[in-house]
């Protein structure tokens, strides 16, 4: 791995496991210090050990949509590592499955709160505390369901489509010193996505030109690229990372 993030600090939300942890691992491998958040302290503490210990990783437990937690995380990041150069809005929830006609509207409001409004709130927090004066790079983790109809998780996809739009808007508003991009994964083998492939992985995989589902590390490497100077002329884009499955619709 390179050391392209030497001296830089990243906040990665929803990073106790899965895609978020893989992103944090790649950033550490590339030289960054990381501040990881999630709801459960025990899982976060285990992740810190996996990442290499307190010299490179700090865990702050709390809900991603809680303003006090956001402010405390930003404060601890600066006090511990001295900066917040990178932000990854990875937290996402989808507590419902089924058609929109049966959608629990209270759950829908919570999905928007966590997947969209909280992402804006984290950007506001890091902007005020560091990036307004020093610049930085941000990546929002979206979903293939934001650009391709996904029955059963349709409202989740709609919330991620809103996140894509917010990514574009923030890129325009925060340039030139802050870049904002997104990544939209297809099905990645995580606990969060288990309902989309468990018990029928061969069937699901058959639709993918690359003939496999994604691994968290596949997303971690792309996010690291988007945050790095290697993507220095890229902003406002949501990159689809899906093993080619979205190409299949054009063939049918």
């Amino acid at each position: 791995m390179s050391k392209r993030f030497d001296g830089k600090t990243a906040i990665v939300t929803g990073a106790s496991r899965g895609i978020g942890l893989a992103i944090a691992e790649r950033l550490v491998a590339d030289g960054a210090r990381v501040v990881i958040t999630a709801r459960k302290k025990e899982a976060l503490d285990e992740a810190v050990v996996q990442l290499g210990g307190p010299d490179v990783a700090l865990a702050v437990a709390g809900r991603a949509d809680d303003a006090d937690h956001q402010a405390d995380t930003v404060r601890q990041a600066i006090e511990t590592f001295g900066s917040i150069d990178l932000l990854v809005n990875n937290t996402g929830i989808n507590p419902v499955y089924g058609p929109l006609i049966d959608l629990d509207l209270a759950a829908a409001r919570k999905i928007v709160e966590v997947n969209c409004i909280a992402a804006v709130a984290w950007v506001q927090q890091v902007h005020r505390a560091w990036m307004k004066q020093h610049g930085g790079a941000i990546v929002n983790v979206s979903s293939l369901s934001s650009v391709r109809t996904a029955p059963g998780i349709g409202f989740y996809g709609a919330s991620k489509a809103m996140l894509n739009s917010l990514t574009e808007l923030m890129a325009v508003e925060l340039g030139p010193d802050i870049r904002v991009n997104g990544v939209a994964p297809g099905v990645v083998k995580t606990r969060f996505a288990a309902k989309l492939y468990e018990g029928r992985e061969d069937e699901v995989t058959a639709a993918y030109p690359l003939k496999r589902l994604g691994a968290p590390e596949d997303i971690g490497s792309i996010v690291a690229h988007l945050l790095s100077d290697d993507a220095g002329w890229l902003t406002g884009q949501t990159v689809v990372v899906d093993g080619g499955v979205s190409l299949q619709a054009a063939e049918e």
Side-chain angles (χ1 to χ4, degrees):
M1 300 299 177
S2 71
K3 291 300 177 184
R4 56 187 171 180
F5 298 126
D6 269 354
K8 294 188 176 182
T9 303
I11 292 176
V12 184
T13 70
S16 62
R17 56 184 171 86
I19 289 174
L21 181 55
I23 292 169
E25 287 179 319
R26 181 56 187 262
L27 295 180
V28 169
D30 283 355
R33 291 81 50 91
V34 295
V35 180
I36 57 173
T37 78
R39 289 177 298 167
K40 296 180 179 179
K41 183 178 184 302
E42 297 80 5
L44 281 172
D45 289 342
E46 292 174 4
V48 166
V49 173
Q50 186 172 333
L51 289 166
D55 288 344
V56 296
L58 170 71
V60 186
R63 292 186 297 105
D65 59 334
D66 179 76
D68 291 338
H69 167 63
Q70 296 161 3
D72 183 49
T73 301
V74 168
R75 178 185 59 79
Q76 289 196 51
I78 293 175
E79 289 180 355
T80 304
F81 294 130
S83 67
I84 306 171
D85 310 284
L86 314 168
L87 170 66
V88 181
N89 278 311
N90 174 66
T91 300
I93 64 167
N94 185 37
V96 294
Y97 185 88
L100 284 177
I101 199 67
D102 297 323
L103 179 65
D104 180 330
L105 297 183
R109 293 183 184 95
K110 186 65 173 178
I111 290 170
V112 172
E113 182 71 35
V114 174
N115 294 1
C116 303
I117 298 173
V120 175
W122 280 101
V123 173
Q124 290 178 339
Q125 292 274 5
V126 301
H127 184 260
R128 286 194 295 263
W130 187 264
M131 289 189 184
K132 182 178 181 180
Q133 297 297 324
H134 302 90
I138 298 165
V139 169
N140 297 319
V141 178
S142 181
S143 166
L144 180 60
S145 63
S146 70
V147 296
R148 189 184 194 197
T149 301
I153 59 170
F155 195 81
Y156 171 78
S159 75
K160 291 297 189 174
M162 179 178 177
L163 183 62
N164 296 352
S165 180
L166 291 169
T167 294
E168 294 176 355
L169 182 59
M170 288 189 286
V172 171
E173 292 186 351
L174 298 179
D177 297 323
I178 301 171
R179 295 185 302 105
V180 187
N181 288 294
V183 60
V187 178
V188 176
K189 293 182 69 173
T190 64
R191 190 186 311 173
F192 181 81
K195 286 186 177 181
L196 301 178
Y197 66 87
E198 274 191 346
R200 56 190 187 97
E201 186 172 338
D202 289 345
E203 175 189 346
V204 174
T205 301
Y208 284 69
L210 294 185
K211 302 306 178 189
R212 70 174 178 88
L213 300 182
E217 294 76 15
D218 293 318
I219 311 307
S221 63
I222 297 298
V223 170
H225 171 72
L226 292 174
L227 291 171
S228 76
D229 290 342
D230 293 334
W233 207 44
L234 188 69
T235 196
Q237 305 303 307
T238 296
V239 179
V240 173
V241 187
D242 69 348
V245 71
S246 57
L247 303 174
Q248 296 297 86
E251 297 177 0
E252 294 171 357

